[in-house]
């Protein structure tokens, strides 16, 4: 069973999901690959939800909070591998799809990585917004390019692109 709670971010309303112990999802309402709400039971009282909301408050206030709760995204082995690499991108830094592809295999395509990045179920916490196209170009974001730009501004990344 998956539980959910809502979070009102400065960039719009979000939904957080958990299996009761770990965070399994964090999405902007209406974004690409948004899950069916039928999959969740509303529960605003889980301790992990309080932890995530505090983390998000700090993040949106320009801090670099440390994740002190479990993340448990669900996906294929390939996607999990890509999301692990995303999780290792430091606050305020970026990688390109091609750089991530090279970390996986010399023959891996940036497009395959892009598909996995686009299906990241835990936005912001697994920082897919820190991934750029070739030559540092801003590319798509499941939550919308406008939100990606704002997230990069929070981390003072846009000034260096």
């Amino acid at each position: 069973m998956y539980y959910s709670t809502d979070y009102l971010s400065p960039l719009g309303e979000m939904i957080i999901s958990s299996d009761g112990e770990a965070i399994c999802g964090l999405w902007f309402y209406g974004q690409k690959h948004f899950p069916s709400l039928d999959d969740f039971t509303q529960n605003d009282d889980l301790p992990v939800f309080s932890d995530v909301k505090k983390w998000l408050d700090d993040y949106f206030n320009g801090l670099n909070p440390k994740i002190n709760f479990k993340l448990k995204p669900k996906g294929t082995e390939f996607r999990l591998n890509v999301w692990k690499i995303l999780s290792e991108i430091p606050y305020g830094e970026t990688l390109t799809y091609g750089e991530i592809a090279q970390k996986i295999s010399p023959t891996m395509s940036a497009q395959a990585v892009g598909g996995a990045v686009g299906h990241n179920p835990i936005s912001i916490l697994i920082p897919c917004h820190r991934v750029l196209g070739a030559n540092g170009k801003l590319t798509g974001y499941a939550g919308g390019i406008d939100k990606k730009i704002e997230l990069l501004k929070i981390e003072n990344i846009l000034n260096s692109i």
Side-chain angles (χ1 to χ4, degrees), residues 76-90:
T76 65
E77 183 178 339
F78 173 70
R79 286 181 178 177
L80 291 170
N81 191 21
V82 170
W83 300 336
K84 181 181 182 305
I85 293 169
L86 296 181
S87 296
E88 296 167 355
I89 304 172

Side-chain angles (χ1 to χ4, degrees), residues 35-50:
S36 168
L37 296 180
D38 295 338
D39 296 339
F40 305 117
T41 299
Q42 185 81 21
N43 182 340
D44 299 322
D45 299 325
L46 289 178
V48 71
F49 286 156
S50 296

